[in-house]
Amino acid sequence: MSKIALFGATGTIGSRILDEALRRGHQVTAAVRDPAKVTTTSPALTVIYGDVLDPESVAEVAKGQDVVVSAVGGGGGPGHIATIQPAAEALVEGLRLLGGEMPRLIAVGGAGSLRKPDGIQIWDTEGLPIPLLQIMHAHGDALDYYRTVSDIRWTNISPAASIEPGERTGTYRTALDDLIVAEDGSSRISTEDYAVALLDELEQPAHLGERFTVGY
């Protein structure tokens, strides 16, 4: 059983991560700006105020935890630009304040920087709308930042091209920087199975200091 601090617990992905962590018996501290928005209840869940953009708040939330999970989003494109990379920097700065007692960091990433089978990164696909490109590049900028960090045990997890609520099958495939594509040409993962993959990585670390991706 691990002690997990979770930022973004009320989001589509974060709420599934919360459910999966509680399902596995972990102790979770959900750090949110509005604790009233967390409707899940469990003896293993503590809900507190936390600001992922404030390093001191991050440090306060992370103190005494085994792992910090960031599942924060920013709504549309401009929101992601204002949130994703700044959150990555605040998370790292906050953990550094804890010195040798800093927990591990696992961050939800994006799919835009993954390579398609033709070798082109997803965000270089023609015809993508600007708001979607903004979201993709916000995650890409955060990943570029994480890759400059060597004193934090970080992991960034990119979903498949399509991620949405669905079935929890407990099965998935992994890769590093290449998009996972099924035989029918689709690239997808349910939020539930993404959460399974994230908790598997949390329990059995295999990607310290790197990004990996999950899909069917």
Side-chain angles (χ1 to χ4, degrees):
M1 182 182 70
S2 295
K3 294 180 179 179
I4 303 169
L6 174 61
F7 288 94
T10 60
T12 301
I13 297 176
S15 61
R16 270 66 176 190
I17 293 171
L18 174 59
D19 291 344
E20 184 66 23
L22 293 174
R23 176 191 183 114
R24 299 188 187 204
H26 296 292
Q27 294 283 336
V28 182
T29 297
V32 294
R33 290 189 176 183
D34 184 359
K37 290 185 177 181
V38 179
T39 57
T40 300
T41 58
S42 168
L45 173 63
T46 301
V47 182
I48 64 173
Y49 171 82
D51 183 356
V52 74
L53 298 178
D54 180 355
E56 291 188 358
S57 181
V58 169
E60 183 176 348
V61 170
K63 187 175 182 179
Q65 304 291 330
D66 298 312
V67 185
V68 171
V69 176
S70 173
V72 297
H80 273 72
I81 292 172
T83 302
I84 302 303
Q85 183 178 356
E89 294 178 356
L91 285 161
V92 169
E93 291 173 17
L95 292 181
R96 284 173 174 160
L97 293 175
L98 299 179
E101 297 180 353
M102 69 178 70
R104 184 184 175 198
L105 172 63
I106 301 178
V108 172
S113 59
L114 294 170
R115 289 189 299 263
K116 299 190 297 181
D118 60 8
I120 297 175
Q121 288 177 290
I122 292 177
W123 57 33
D124 290 327
T125 303
E126 292 185 5
L128 294 177
I130 290 177
L132 179 58
L133 286 170
Q134 290 175 326
I135 292 173
M136 289 180 176
H137 282 285
H139 282 291
D141 290 343
L143 177 59
D144 286 343
Y145 170 71
Y146 283 128
R147 285 174 166 163
T148 70
V149 175
S150 60
D151 58 331
I152 302 286
R153 294 172 298 155
W154 64 268
T155 300
N156 188 269
I157 308 180
S158 291
S162 173
I163 179 170
E164 57 187 15
E167 183 182 1
R168 181 191 186 279
T169 69
T171 61
Y172 57 87
R173 293 185 292 151
T174 66
L176 293 180
D177 296 315
D178 293 310
L179 182 70
I180 296 174
V181 180
E183 290 184 1
D184 63 2
S186 66
S187 175
R188 63 185 186 86
I189 189 78
S190 70
T191 50
E192 287 77 5
D193 281 333
Y194 178 92
V196 169
L198 187 146
L199 265 295
D200 285 349
E201 172 67 24
L202 185 151
E203 293 174 350
Q204 298 183 342
H207 299 281
L208 293 176
E210 64 183 13
R211 182 265 295 274
F212 75 101
T213 182
V214 297
Y216 293 131

